[in-house]
Amino acid sequence: MTMQTGAAPKFQPGERVRVDSRPALGHCRAPLFIRGQTGTVVTVHGTFRDPERLAYHQPGLPPQNLYKIRFKQTDLWLDYTGSPNDELEVDVYENWLLPATN
Amino acid sequence: MHDHHDHDLTFQADHDTGPASPYEVLEHAIRELLVEKGVLTNAEISEHIDKMATRNETLGAKVTARAWTDPEFKQRYLNDTRAALASMDIDIGDMAEYRVVENTPRIHNVIICTLCSCYPKLLLGYPPSWYKSVTYRSRTVREPRAVLQEFGVELPDGVEVRVHDSTADLRYIVLPMQPEETTDWPAEKLMAKISRDSLIGTSIPT
């Protein structure tokens, strides 16, 4: 799906955000390994129709802001053996993001 | 007469064994309707399948070689990939946006899709089967350095690994570093240095 016109983004690059840890039913684009984790907004990609609704033949509106979120690998995996500077970037829709609490 | 075949040794699963899944039945019904209503012809469908199946990393190598040899194009390729590709007559259409992640002496990028198999098909063709495997998808987020090492990628100390999980509407492709000894090479010659895996991040051009 290409970009749509939609609401202004709630979060800005550099902001710390937490991925909601709610359980997901059915089609879900927030992978389990980032749920409940805190990361940093790298890019605001723009707004796109919500694939979690499109998957069920709904229009996916209003469009959701999509963000590139950067996580530290050592935050995601307690037993991570690579460099402490290694990072993982995931595209996450706004309806999965909360302001960071820490 | 004893009719013995070594099926255990030579067996290969048929592509279309077993009953069709509900989605296959649905696809079949829609396809037949489209053809019956004159929206598409079977020849057009077949032609499109062939077009996708014969796509490979040539386009990816071509744009990468251009980015290595043309700094102005490189900036556009990194900042406005759609426009940069359009300037080379590559139309990315309306399926997904494309993003380019640049390897540097400090950062090595690698692309995955943990949820399924999102892949920059337009520039690289269909993904290799390992890209779609559960093993690659799950291990690359968790232990990217071990996976890269198994691909033969030895990263010098001080290089950060940055994994990109394409979970949504964007497709990622790596812009590898140009090997030093190829600095003055023309784009056509450089293309031979650029493999599919180097554009996924599981290889480094040498």
Short mmCIF file of all heavy atoms in Angstrom, two decimals, chain B residues 76-133:
data_model
loop_
_atom_site.label_atom_id
_atom_site.label_comp_id
_atom_site.label_asym_id
_atom_site.label_seq_id
_atom_site.Cartn_x
_atom_site.Cartn_y
_atom_site.Cartn_z
N ARG B 76 19.99 10.90 -4.10
CA ARG B 76 18.57 10.76 -4.41
C ARG B 76 18.09 9.34 -4.08
O ARG B 76 17.01 9.14 -3.55
CB ARG B 76 18.33 11.06 -5.89
CG ARG B 76 17.08 11.90 -6.09
CD ARG B 76 16.93 12.46 -7.50
NE ARG B 76 18.12 12.36 -8.31
CZ ARG B 76 18.13 11.96 -9.58
NH1 ARG B 76 17.00 11.59 -10.15
NH2 ARG B 76 19.24 11.95 -10.28
N TYR B 77 18.93 8.36 -4.39
CA TYR B 77 18.59 6.95 -4.13
C TYR B 77 18.38 6.74 -2.62
O TYR B 77 17.46 6.04 -2.21
CB TYR B 77 19.74 6.09 -4.65
CG TYR B 77 19.55 4.59 -4.56
CD1 TYR B 77 18.39 3.97 -5.06
CD2 TYR B 77 20.55 3.77 -4.03
CE1 TYR B 77 18.24 2.59 -4.98
CE2 TYR B 77 20.41 2.39 -3.97
CZ TYR B 77 19.25 1.81 -4.45
OH TYR B 77 19.11 0.44 -4.39
N LEU B 78 19.20 7.43 -1.80
CA LEU B 78 19.06 7.29 -0.36
C LEU B 78 17.89 8.10 0.19
O LEU B 78 17.23 7.68 1.13
CB LEU B 78 20.35 7.76 0.35
CG LEU B 78 21.59 6.88 0.17
CD1 LEU B 78 22.82 7.58 0.73
CD2 LEU B 78 21.40 5.53 0.88
N ASN B 79 17.64 9.27 -0.38
CA ASN B 79 16.65 10.18 0.20
C ASN B 79 15.26 10.09 -0.42
O ASN B 79 14.27 10.35 0.25
CB ASN B 79 17.13 11.63 0.10
CG ASN B 79 18.44 11.83 0.84
OD1 ASN B 79 18.67 11.17 1.86
ND2 ASN B 79 19.29 12.70 0.33
N ASP B 80 15.20 9.81 -1.70
CA ASP B 80 13.91 9.70 -2.39
C ASP B 80 14.02 8.56 -3.39
O ASP B 80 14.18 8.76 -4.59
CB ASP B 80 13.57 11.04 -3.08
CG ASP B 80 12.16 11.03 -3.66
OD1 ASP B 80 11.52 9.95 -3.66
OD2 ASP B 80 11.70 12.09 -4.11
N THR B 81 13.93 7.36 -2.85
CA THR B 81 14.21 6.16 -3.65
C THR B 81 13.25 6.04 -4.83
O THR B 81 13.66 5.69 -5.94
CB THR B 81 14.12 4.91 -2.74
OG1 THR B 81 14.88 5.17 -1.56
CG2 THR B 81 14.65 3.68 -3.42
N ARG B 82 11.99 6.36 -4.58
CA ARG B 82 10.99 6.27 -5.65
C ARG B 82 11.41 7.12 -6.86
O ARG B 82 11.41 6.66 -8.00
CB ARG B 82 9.63 6.72 -5.13
CG ARG B 82 8.50 6.66 -6.15
CD ARG B 82 7.19 7.10 -5.52
NE ARG B 82 6.56 6.04 -4.75
CZ ARG B 82 5.76 5.11 -5.29
NH1 ARG B 82 5.50 5.11 -6.58
NH2 ARG B 82 5.22 4.18 -4.54
N ALA B 83 11.81 8.38 -6.58
CA ALA B 83 12.20 9.31 -7.66
C ALA B 83 13.49 8.85 -8.33
O ALA B 83 13.61 8.91 -9.56
CB ALA B 83 12.36 10.72 -7.10
N ALA B 84 14.44 8.38 -7.52
CA ALA B 84 15.72 7.93 -8.09
C ALA B 84 15.49 6.76 -9.04
O ALA B 84 16.05 6.72 -10.14
CB ALA B 84 16.68 7.53 -6.97
N LEU B 85 14.65 5.82 -8.62
CA LEU B 85 14.37 4.66 -9.47
C LEU B 85 13.60 5.08 -10.72
O LEU B 85 13.88 4.60 -11.82
CB LEU B 85 13.60 3.59 -8.68
CG LEU B 85 14.37 2.93 -7.53
CD1 LEU B 85 13.46 1.99 -6.75
CD2 LEU B 85 15.59 2.18 -8.04
N ALA B 86 12.66 6.02 -10.53
CA ALA B 86 11.89 6.50 -11.69
C ALA B 86 12.82 7.12 -12.73
O ALA B 86 12.61 6.97 -13.93
CB ALA B 86 10.83 7.50 -11.23
N SER B 87 13.88 7.80 -12.25
CA SER B 87 14.82 8.43 -13.19
C SER B 87 15.59 7.38 -13.99
O SER B 87 16.21 7.69 -14.99
CB SER B 87 15.79 9.35 -12.44
OG SER B 87 16.78 8.59 -11.76
N MET B 88 15.57 6.13 -13.53
CA MET B 88 16.17 5.04 -14.30
C MET B 88 15.09 4.17 -14.95
O MET B 88 15.34 3.00 -15.28
CB MET B 88 17.05 4.17 -13.39
CG MET B 88 18.30 4.91 -12.91
SD MET B 88 19.40 3.82 -11.96
CE MET B 88 20.17 2.84 -13.27
N ASP B 89 13.90 4.76 -15.11
CA ASP B 89 12.77 4.06 -15.75
C ASP B 89 12.33 2.82 -14.97
O ASP B 89 11.85 1.85 -15.56
CB ASP B 89 13.09 3.67 -17.20
CG ASP B 89 13.15 4.89 -18.09
OD1 ASP B 89 12.37 5.84 -17.84
OD2 ASP B 89 13.99 4.91 -19.01
N ILE B 90 12.52 2.84 -13.65
CA ILE B 90 12.04 1.74 -12.82
C ILE B 90 10.86 2.27 -12.01
O ILE B 90 11.03 3.13 -11.16
CB ILE B 90 13.14 1.20 -11.88
CG1 ILE B 90 14.35 0.74 -12.69
CG2 ILE B 90 12.59 0.06 -11.02
CD1 ILE B 90 15.60 0.51 -11.86
N ASP B 91 9.69 1.75 -12.32
CA ASP B 91 8.47 2.21 -11.65
C ASP B 91 8.16 1.27 -10.51
O ASP B 91 7.89 0.09 -10.73
CB ASP B 91 7.33 2.24 -12.68
CG ASP B 91 6.00 2.59 -12.04
OD1 ASP B 91 6.00 3.06 -10.88
OD2 ASP B 91 4.96 2.38 -12.69
N ILE B 92 8.21 1.78 -9.26
CA ILE B 92 7.96 0.85 -8.14
C ILE B 92 6.46 0.65 -7.90
O ILE B 92 6.08 -0.11 -7.02
CB ILE B 92 8.71 1.22 -6.84
CG1 ILE B 92 8.29 2.58 -6.30
CG2 ILE B 92 10.20 1.16 -7.03
CD1 ILE B 92 8.92 2.88 -4.96
N GLY B 93 5.63 1.32 -8.66
CA GLY B 93 4.20 1.03 -8.60
C GLY B 93 3.59 1.42 -7.27
O GLY B 93 4.13 2.25 -6.54
N ASP B 94 2.47 0.76 -6.92
CA ASP B 94 1.76 1.18 -5.72
C ASP B 94 1.71 0.09 -4.65
O ASP B 94 0.89 0.11 -3.76
CB ASP B 94 0.34 1.65 -6.08
CG ASP B 94 -0.44 0.55 -6.78
OD1 ASP B 94 0.10 -0.56 -6.90
OD2 ASP B 94 -1.57 0.82 -7.21
N MET B 95 2.61 -0.88 -4.74
CA MET B 95 2.58 -1.96 -3.76
C MET B 95 3.27 -1.60 -2.45
O MET B 95 2.80 -1.90 -1.39
CB MET B 95 3.23 -3.21 -4.35
CG MET B 95 2.39 -3.90 -5.38
SD MET B 95 0.75 -4.33 -4.73
CE MET B 95 1.17 -5.69 -3.64
N ALA B 96 4.41 -0.96 -2.51
CA ALA B 96 5.15 -0.65 -1.28
C ALA B 96 6.15 0.45 -1.59
O ALA B 96 6.54 0.65 -2.73
CB ALA B 96 5.88 -1.89 -0.79
N GLU B 97 6.55 1.16 -0.54
CA GLU B 97 7.61 2.15 -0.68
C GLU B 97 8.95 1.44 -0.52
O GLU B 97 9.05 0.43 0.16
CB GLU B 97 7.46 3.23 0.39
CG GLU B 97 6.18 4.05 0.27
CD GLU B 97 6.13 4.88 -0.99
OE1 GLU B 97 7.20 5.21 -1.55
OE2 GLU B 97 5.01 5.19 -1.46
N TYR B 98 9.98 1.99 -1.14
CA TYR B 98 11.31 1.42 -1.02
C TYR B 98 12.22 2.33 -0.20
O TYR B 98 12.12 3.55 -0.30
CB TYR B 98 11.92 1.19 -2.42
CG TYR B 98 11.52 -0.14 -3.01
CD1 TYR B 98 10.19 -0.41 -3.26
CD2 TYR B 98 12.46 -1.12 -3.26
CE1 TYR B 98 9.81 -1.65 -3.77
CE2 TYR B 98 12.09 -2.36 -3.77
CZ TYR B 98 10.77 -2.62 -4.01
OH TYR B 98 10.40 -3.85 -4.49
N ARG B 99 13.05 1.72 0.62
CA ARG B 99 14.04 2.45 1.42
C ARG B 99 15.40 1.80 1.25
O ARG B 99 15.49 0.56 1.22
CB ARG B 99 13.67 2.46 2.90
CG ARG B 99 12.42 3.26 3.24
CD ARG B 99 12.64 4.77 3.14
NE ARG B 99 11.45 5.51 3.54
CZ ARG B 99 10.43 5.81 2.74
NH1 ARG B 99 10.46 5.41 1.47
NH2 ARG B 99 9.40 6.47 3.18
N VAL B 100 16.44 2.65 1.18
CA VAL B 100 17.79 2.15 1.00
C VAL B 100 18.57 2.38 2.29
O VAL B 100 18.51 3.48 2.85
CB VAL B 100 18.49 2.89 -0.16
CG1 VAL B 100 19.89 2.35 -0.38
CG2 VAL B 100 17.65 2.76 -1.44
N VAL B 101 19.25 1.37 2.78
CA VAL B 101 20.08 1.53 3.97
C VAL B 101 21.54 1.35 3.57
O VAL B 101 21.90 0.37 2.91
CB VAL B 101 19.66 0.58 5.11
CG1 VAL B 101 18.32 1.03 5.70
CG2 VAL B 101 19.54 -0.87 4.66
N GLU B 102 22.35 2.32 3.94
CA GLU B 102 23.72 2.39 3.44
C GLU B 102 24.73 1.78 4.43
O GLU B 102 24.77 2.17 5.59
CB GLU B 102 24.09 3.87 3.20
CG GLU B 102 25.46 4.03 2.57
CD GLU B 102 25.88 5.49 2.42
OE1 GLU B 102 25.23 6.37 3.02
OE2 GLU B 102 26.87 5.72 1.72
N ASN B 103 25.52 0.84 3.94
CA ASN B 103 26.62 0.34 4.75
C ASN B 103 27.73 1.38 4.80
O ASN B 103 27.99 2.06 3.80
CB ASN B 103 27.18 -0.96 4.16
CG ASN B 103 26.28 -2.15 4.43
OD1 ASN B 103 25.32 -2.06 5.20
ND2 ASN B 103 26.58 -3.27 3.78
N THR B 104 28.37 1.49 5.95
CA THR B 104 29.49 2.43 6.11
C THR B 104 30.60 1.67 6.84
O THR B 104 30.40 0.53 7.27
CB THR B 104 29.07 3.64 6.98
OG1 THR B 104 28.88 3.19 8.33
CG2 THR B 104 27.79 4.30 6.48
N PRO B 105 31.77 2.29 6.99
CA PRO B 105 32.83 1.59 7.75
C PRO B 105 32.41 1.31 9.20
O PRO B 105 33.01 0.49 9.88
CB PRO B 105 33.99 2.59 7.71
CG PRO B 105 33.74 3.41 6.47
CD PRO B 105 32.26 3.53 6.37
N ARG B 106 31.33 1.96 9.68
CA ARG B 106 30.88 1.76 11.06
C ARG B 106 29.61 0.90 11.18
O ARG B 106 29.33 0.37 12.23
CB ARG B 106 30.57 3.13 11.71
CG ARG B 106 31.74 4.09 11.78
CD ARG B 106 32.69 3.71 12.92
NE ARG B 106 31.99 3.49 14.17
CZ ARG B 106 31.78 4.43 15.07
NH1 ARG B 106 32.22 5.64 14.87
NH2 ARG B 106 31.16 4.15 16.20
N ILE B 107 28.82 0.83 10.10
CA ILE B 107 27.53 0.15 10.19
C ILE B 107 27.36 -0.88 9.08
O ILE B 107 27.54 -0.56 7.90
CB ILE B 107 26.36 1.17 10.12
CG1 ILE B 107 26.42 2.12 11.31
CG2 ILE B 107 25.00 0.46 10.08
CD1 ILE B 107 25.51 3.32 11.18
N HIS B 108 26.98 -2.10 9.47
CA HIS B 108 26.62 -3.11 8.47
C HIS B 108 25.13 -3.42 8.61
O HIS B 108 24.67 -3.80 9.69
CB HIS B 108 27.44 -4.40 8.65
CG HIS B 108 27.08 -5.43 7.64
ND1 HIS B 108 27.60 -5.45 6.37
CD2 HIS B 108 26.18 -6.46 7.70
CE1 HIS B 108 27.05 -6.45 5.69
NE2 HIS B 108 26.19 -7.08 6.47
N ASN B 109 24.39 -3.25 7.53
CA ASN B 109 22.94 -3.46 7.55
C ASN B 109 22.58 -4.84 7.02
O ASN B 109 23.21 -5.34 6.09
CB ASN B 109 22.25 -2.42 6.67
CG ASN B 109 22.42 -1.02 7.20
OD1 ASN B 109 21.76 -0.63 8.16
ND2 ASN B 109 23.31 -0.24 6.59
N VAL B 110 21.54 -5.42 7.59
CA VAL B 110 21.02 -6.69 7.06
C VAL B 110 19.49 -6.66 7.13
O VAL B 110 18.91 -6.10 8.06
CB VAL B 110 21.66 -7.91 7.78
CG1 VAL B 110 21.41 -7.88 9.27
CG2 VAL B 110 21.15 -9.23 7.20
N ILE B 111 18.87 -7.20 6.08
CA ILE B 111 17.41 -7.12 5.92
C ILE B 111 16.75 -8.46 6.24
O ILE B 111 17.24 -9.51 5.82
CB ILE B 111 17.05 -6.78 4.44
CG1 ILE B 111 17.85 -5.60 3.91
CG2 ILE B 111 15.55 -6.56 4.28
CD1 ILE B 111 17.57 -4.30 4.56
N ILE B 112 15.65 -8.38 6.95
CA ILE B 112 14.83 -9.58 7.16
C ILE B 112 13.36 -9.18 7.18
O ILE B 112 13.03 -8.00 7.21
CB ILE B 112 15.12 -10.29 8.50
CG1 ILE B 112 15.02 -9.29 9.65
CG2 ILE B 112 16.41 -11.01 8.51
CD1 ILE B 112 14.77 -9.97 10.96
N CYS B 113 12.51 -10.19 7.21
CA CYS B 113 11.10 -9.96 7.48
C CYS B 113 10.70 -11.06 8.45
O CYS B 113 10.54 -12.21 8.05
CB CYS B 113 10.26 -10.04 6.21
SG CYS B 113 8.50 -9.98 6.54
N THR B 114 10.59 -10.71 9.74
CA THR B 114 10.31 -11.76 10.73
C THR B 114 8.90 -12.31 10.60
O THR B 114 8.64 -13.44 10.96
CB THR B 114 10.47 -11.25 12.18
OG1 THR B 114 9.74 -10.05 12.34
CG2 THR B 114 11.93 -11.03 12.52
N LEU B 115 7.97 -11.48 10.10
CA LEU B 115 6.57 -11.91 10.09
C LEU B 115 6.24 -12.77 8.88
O LEU B 115 5.37 -13.62 8.95
CB LEU B 115 5.65 -10.68 10.10
CG LEU B 115 5.77 -9.78 11.33
CD1 LEU B 115 4.85 -8.59 11.19
CD2 LEU B 115 5.42 -10.56 12.60
N CYS B 116 6.91 -12.51 7.74
CA CYS B 116 6.60 -13.34 6.57
C CYS B 116 7.81 -13.36 5.63
O CYS B 116 8.80 -13.99 5.95
CB CYS B 116 5.35 -12.85 5.87
SG CYS B 116 5.29 -11.07 5.58
N SER B 117 7.73 -12.69 4.50
CA SER B 117 8.86 -12.73 3.57
C SER B 117 8.92 -11.46 2.72
O SER B 117 9.25 -11.52 1.55
CB SER B 117 8.74 -13.96 2.67
OG SER B 117 7.50 -13.94 2.00
N CYS B 118 8.59 -10.30 3.30
CA CYS B 118 8.68 -9.03 2.57
C CYS B 118 10.10 -8.85 2.04
O CYS B 118 11.06 -9.09 2.76
CB CYS B 118 8.31 -7.86 3.48
SG CYS B 118 6.61 -7.95 4.05
N TYR B 119 10.19 -8.43 0.81
CA TYR B 119 11.48 -8.48 0.11
C TYR B 119 11.40 -7.50 -1.06
O TYR B 119 10.32 -7.34 -1.65
CB TYR B 119 11.65 -9.92 -0.38
CG TYR B 119 12.95 -10.29 -1.01
CD1 TYR B 119 14.09 -10.49 -0.24
CD2 TYR B 119 13.04 -10.50 -2.39
CE1 TYR B 119 15.28 -10.88 -0.83
CE2 TYR B 119 14.23 -10.90 -2.98
CZ TYR B 119 15.36 -11.09 -2.20
OH TYR B 119 16.53 -11.50 -2.76
N PRO B 120 12.49 -6.83 -1.42
CA PRO B 120 12.42 -5.90 -2.56
C PRO B 120 12.40 -6.62 -3.90
O PRO B 120 13.35 -6.55 -4.68
CB PRO B 120 13.68 -5.04 -2.37
CG PRO B 120 14.64 -5.94 -1.66
CD PRO B 120 13.81 -6.83 -0.77
N LYS B 121 11.30 -7.33 -4.15
CA LYS B 121 11.16 -8.20 -5.33
C LYS B 121 11.43 -7.47 -6.65
O LYS B 121 11.99 -8.03 -7.57
CB LYS B 121 9.72 -8.74 -5.41
CG LYS B 121 9.45 -9.94 -4.59
CD LYS B 121 8.16 -10.61 -5.09
CE LYS B 121 7.60 -11.53 -4.04
NZ LYS B 121 6.41 -11.03 -3.39
N LEU B 122 10.99 -6.23 -6.69
CA LEU B 122 11.12 -5.47 -7.93
C LEU B 122 12.58 -5.36 -8.35
O LEU B 122 12.91 -5.44 -9.53
CB LEU B 122 10.53 -4.06 -7.71
CG LEU B 122 10.52 -3.18 -8.92
CD1 LEU B 122 9.40 -3.58 -9.85
CD2 LEU B 122 10.35 -1.73 -8.50
N LEU B 123 13.47 -5.19 -7.36
CA LEU B 123 14.89 -5.00 -7.67
C LEU B 123 15.69 -6.30 -7.59
O LEU B 123 16.77 -6.39 -8.16
CB LEU B 123 15.50 -3.97 -6.71
CG LEU B 123 14.91 -2.56 -6.80
CD1 LEU B 123 15.53 -1.65 -5.75
CD2 LEU B 123 15.11 -1.97 -8.19
N LEU B 124 15.16 -7.30 -6.87
CA LEU B 124 15.95 -8.52 -6.66
C LEU B 124 15.29 -9.80 -7.17
O LEU B 124 15.89 -10.87 -7.10
CB LEU B 124 16.28 -8.70 -5.17
CG LEU B 124 17.08 -7.59 -4.48
CD1 LEU B 124 17.41 -7.99 -3.04
CD2 LEU B 124 18.35 -7.28 -5.23
N GLY B 125 14.05 -9.73 -7.63
CA GLY B 125 13.35 -10.96 -8.01
C GLY B 125 12.76 -11.64 -6.79
O GLY B 125 12.70 -11.04 -5.71
N TYR B 126 12.36 -12.89 -6.95
CA TYR B 126 11.80 -13.61 -5.81
C TYR B 126 12.88 -13.88 -4.76
O TYR B 126 14.04 -14.11 -5.11
CB TYR B 126 11.18 -14.94 -6.26
CG TYR B 126 9.81 -14.77 -6.87
CD1 TYR B 126 9.52 -15.28 -8.13
CD2 TYR B 126 8.80 -14.10 -6.19
CE1 TYR B 126 8.25 -15.12 -8.69
CE2 TYR B 126 7.55 -13.94 -6.75
CZ TYR B 126 7.28 -14.45 -7.99
OH TYR B 126 6.04 -14.29 -8.54
N PRO B 127 12.50 -13.88 -3.47
CA PRO B 127 13.51 -14.14 -2.44
C PRO B 127 14.00 -15.59 -2.49
O PRO B 127 13.24 -16.48 -2.86
CB PRO B 127 12.77 -13.86 -1.13
CG PRO B 127 11.33 -13.98 -1.45
CD PRO B 127 11.18 -13.62 -2.90
N PRO B 128 15.26 -15.81 -2.10
CA PRO B 128 15.74 -17.20 -1.99
C PRO B 128 14.97 -17.90 -0.87
O PRO B 128 14.47 -17.24 0.05
CB PRO B 128 17.22 -17.04 -1.62
CG PRO B 128 17.34 -15.66 -1.05
CD PRO B 128 16.27 -14.83 -1.68
N SER B 129 14.91 -19.23 -0.93
CA SER B 129 14.08 -19.94 0.05
C SER B 129 14.59 -19.74 1.48
O SER B 129 13.81 -19.67 2.41
CB SER B 129 13.99 -21.43 -0.29
OG SER B 129 15.28 -21.94 -0.45
N TRP B 130 15.91 -19.57 1.65
CA TRP B 130 16.41 -19.37 3.02
C TRP B 130 15.89 -18.06 3.63
O TRP B 130 15.71 -17.96 4.84
CB TRP B 130 17.94 -19.46 3.11
CG TRP B 130 18.73 -18.54 2.20
CD1 TRP B 130 19.35 -18.89 1.04
CD2 TRP B 130 19.00 -17.13 2.38
NE1 TRP B 130 19.98 -17.79 0.49
CE2 TRP B 130 19.78 -16.71 1.29
CE3 TRP B 130 18.66 -16.20 3.36
CZ2 TRP B 130 20.23 -15.40 1.14
CZ3 TRP B 130 19.09 -14.88 3.20
CH2 TRP B 130 19.87 -14.49 2.11
N TYR B 131 15.64 -17.07 2.78
CA TYR B 131 15.16 -15.78 3.29
C TYR B 131 13.79 -15.95 3.94
O TYR B 131 13.42 -15.26 4.86
CB TYR B 131 15.09 -14.78 2.14
CG TYR B 131 14.68 -13.38 2.56
CD1 TYR B 131 15.63 -12.46 3.01
CD2 TYR B 131 13.34 -12.98 2.52
CE1 TYR B 131 15.26 -11.19 3.41
CE2 TYR B 131 12.97 -11.70 2.91
CZ TYR B 131 13.93 -10.81 3.35
OH TYR B 131 13.56 -9.54 3.74
N LYS B 132 13.03 -16.93 3.42
CA LYS B 132 11.67 -17.17 3.93
C LYS B 132 11.67 -18.20 5.07
O LYS B 132 10.63 -18.42 5.67
CB LYS B 132 10.78 -17.68 2.78
CG LYS B 132 10.64 -16.65 1.67
CD LYS B 132 9.68 -17.11 0.60
CE LYS B 132 10.35 -18.01 -0.41
NZ LYS B 132 9.47 -18.38 -1.52
N SER B 133 12.82 -18.81 5.34
CA SER B 133 12.85 -19.87 6.35
C SER B 133 12.68 -19.29 7.74
O SER B 133 13.12 -18.18 8.05
CB SER B 133 14.17 -20.64 6.27
OG SER B 133 15.24 -19.82 6.72
#
